[in-house]
Amino acid sequence: MLRSQLHVQVRDHILELTHQRKLQAGDQLPSEAELSQAIGVSRNTIREALMTLERDGMVVRRHGIGTFITPVPQHLRTSLHQVLPIPELIASSGFEPHIKNLKIAVAQAPSEAYEILQATSNDPLLSISLLYLADKRPAIHVTYWLIPSLNIQPSDWNTFDGHMINFVERLMPLRIHHTVARIFAVTATKQLADTLKVKRSSPLLKMVHTAYTADGQPIYCSTSYQDSDLLEVTVVRQRK
Amino acid sequence: MLRSQLHVQVRDHILELTHQRKLQAGDQLPSEAELSQAIGVSRNTIREALMTLERDGMVVRRHGIGTFITPVPQHLRTSLHQVLPIPELIASSGFEPHIKNLKIAVAQAPSEAYEILQATSNDPLLSISLLYLADKRPAIHVTYWLIPSLNIQPSDWNTFDGHMINFVERLMPLRIHHTVARIFAVTATKQLADTLKVKRSSPLLKMVHTAYTADGQPIYCSTSYQDSDLLEVTVVRQRK
DNA sequence: TACCATTTGTGCGTATGTATT
DNA sequence: GAATACATACGCACAAATGGT
């Protein structure tokens, strides 16, 4: 295993400085030329690192002035442009994540799942339902549906740790490239209200997630329900 | 006025090809070297263009294979990482956007608005409420609150066309750098139900948007309500 | 106003590494 | 192994934006 690319090392170096609070929100970084000389890599490499940091919203670069640590609350940084597994999402909201309830089945799925996964509508789909807890309170109820061709064995589920992306990538030679989330407001059914421990017919946030490879092939989709007052959904969008 | 930068021209050139359907979802682009020679710019410039296209989710680049048009439905492209004004959002969902109802006031605002805008809590804030229509159906009800220091004159409102970002940037020498949206599910109040023409106590999607400059200074915030079945909210998140 | 130093932005050329077929 | 294509990295020159003299 080679050590990682230079610009990633530079990136990590700068992130490390922010974690050590040597660089704080709003602070100006040394100029590209200074960083280049101090670290001993070319200015282009510095620029590459700064560009990825900017893409991910960690720094703001201003022509003719300099590069600054983005003044955005720390907890938002994690959710900028990334796909965040639910346990990490819960953790980044300041709660202790747990997974409580698993139900695995190979069964007929809602027709919507077949459409999304481009599967023939009579194949039974592997599905798994779970309840993510935040500080032992029910927070998100999720049901995943996986495309049939994955061929996952029952024993594989022992290795499932709540990160669906990691799970399928560890088992299969594929890579999730992006996810699409569609967001709705719904009213809690009796069953959902019981599961999530909210009042009957409270409003819930429903999200339909689909994970795709770079080819655009759907790998799995999920439907999740959550109390949006307990666990906020935040989307940071950059311009340009 | 100078012509734009080379890599932007290259980017636009490629986008133009996709609009003309000469390049479609999933198609492979010519190699960097070919593009470089065909267009007559250096390979670095091609790479710069391809990188911004990748950042915005329009293409997928695969090491050792090539660059491909991202196979994502066209209507999602617009919402990838951008901040989209509501009228354009409605248009990209296939509806005709209209703005119906404006109510402008300088008044006390909810305490949340003062917190978000970091304003002293007794100043009256300029607020504007409007109803965005999609094909003449009420779609989104929004109330904006602007920071006091903008000093907008009543006459300025004549130039307001429903794009709040454009509006404030045209009037003031500032630039909105990013927005943060917090998303909730709520139950329609009687008033909201009437305005949006939905049943009493239907579930509605509530979004609290805040627009910031690169300094992290909030410029305005808004609260919006919408029927998520009429107008879906979609978030595409990329990995890496 | 004009000019300057600083800093990021753009663009070119080149060489080499790495992944895929 | 060879061919192809993208990835990384270096060095250089000049443009453009900003802030101060």
Side-chain angles (χ1 to χ4, degrees), chain B residues 5-7 42 44-45 63-65:
Chain B
Q5 305 119 320
L6 277 183
H7 76 258
S42 80
N44 278 351
T45 303
H63 198 153
I65 308 190

Side-chain angles (χ1 to χ4, degrees), chain B residues 38-230:
Chain B
I39 304 183
V41 298
S42 80
R43 205 185 131 210
N44 278 351
T45 303
I46 299 290
R47 284 179 58 71
E48 180 75 19
L50 293 180
M51 281 192 302
T52 72
L53 285 168
E54 183 180 40
R55 184 198 63 197
D56 295 341
M58 322 296 285
V59 304
V60 178
R61 316 180 69 201
R62 287 194 272 168
H63 198 153
I65 308 190
T67 302
F68 302 81
I69 304 292
T70 306
V72 171
Q74 192 65 35
H75 74 276
L76 287 186
R77 298 247 172 88
T78 53
S79 65
L80 277 187
H81 283 163
Q82 301 174 34
V83 174
L84 211 56
I86 292 176
E88 289 177 34
L89 183 109
I90 292 175
S92 75
S93 300
F95 298 108
E96 180 86 17
H98 286 287
I99 308 172
K100 185 183 172 194
N101 197 354
L102 351 206
K103 206 181 304 172
I104 303 175
V106 179
Q108 192 77 9
S111 63
E112 191 189 29
Y114 290 99
E115 268 175 53
I116 293 175
L117 298 178
Q118 299 165 20
T120 52
S121 49
N122 280 328
D123 275 357
L125 292 185
L126 177 57
S127 83
I128 172 165
S129 301
L130 16 124
L131 185 67
Y132 292 92
L133 306 177
D135 284 354
K136 314 210 166 166
R137 291 176 58 183
I140 310 186
H141 179 275
V142 187
T143 304
Y144 295 95
W145 286 282
L146 284 73
I147 57 172
S149 60
L150 286 184
N151 253 322
I152 290 179
Q153 303 305 315
S155 60
D156 294 330
W157 281 114
N158 300 331
T159 67
F160 181 70
D161 58 352
H163 305 61
M164 183 58 84
I165 291 183
N166 296 358
F167 178 71
V168 296
E169 288 188 352
R170 200 169 47 233
L171 257 65
M172 302 287 153
L174 55 81
R175 191 181 149 73
I176 302 298
H177 174 261
H178 64 274
T179 68
V180 177
R182 295 155 60 211
I183 306 178
F184 306 90
V186 297
T187 303
T189 61
K190 180 175 183 310
Q191 193 186 349
L192 268 173
D194 287 349
T195 310
L196 289 173
K197 297 240 187 349
V198 295
K199 286 197 203 113
R200 274 284 285 288
S201 73
S202 338
L204 290 178
L205 212 54
K206 172 186 176 184
M207 297 206 281
V208 180
H209 256 92
T210 312
Y212 296 90
T213 62
D215 309 328
Q217 217 231 318
I219 299 301
Y220 67 84
C221 67
S222 68
T223 306
S224 66
Y225 297 90
Q226 64 187 283
D227 175 356
S228 63
D229 290 325
L230 175 60

Side-chain angles (χ1 to χ4, degrees), chain A residues 90 100 123 151 154 219 221:
Chain A
I90 291 174
K100 187 183 170 192
D123 275 356
N151 253 324
I219 299 300
C221 67

Side-chain angles (χ1 to χ4, degrees), chain A residues 55-70:
Chain A
R55 186 198 61 195
D56 295 341
M58 321 298 285
V59 303
V60 177
R61 317 183 69 203
R62 286 194 271 170
H63 197 157
I65 309 191
T67 302
F68 302 80
I69 303 292
T70 306

Side-chain angles (χ1 to χ4, degrees), chain A residues 20-75:
Chain A
Q20 295 171 4
R21 308 292 164 123
K22 289 180 183 169
L23 284 174
Q24 307 207 5
D27 283 358
Q28 182 167 12
L29 271 62
S31 75
E32 296 179 354
E34 281 170 355
L35 284 172
S36 163
Q37 196 153 43
I39 304 183
V41 298
S42 78
R43 197 186 141 210
N44 278 349
T45 302
I46 299 290
R47 284 180 58 72
E48 179 75 21
L50 293 180
M51 282 192 300
T52 72
L53 285 168
E54 183 180 41
R55 186 198 61 195
D56 295 341
M58 321 298 285
V59 303
V60 177
R61 317 183 69 203
R62 286 194 271 170
H63 197 157
I65 309 191
T67 302
F68 302 80
I69 303 292
T70 306
V72 171
Q74 191 67 34
H75 73 277

Side-chain angles (χ1 to χ4, degrees), chain A residues 72-85:
Chain A
V72 171
Q74 191 67 34
H75 73 277
L76 287 186
R77 298 248 172 89
T78 54
S79 67
L80 278 187
H81 284 163
Q82 300 173 34
V83 174
L84 211 55

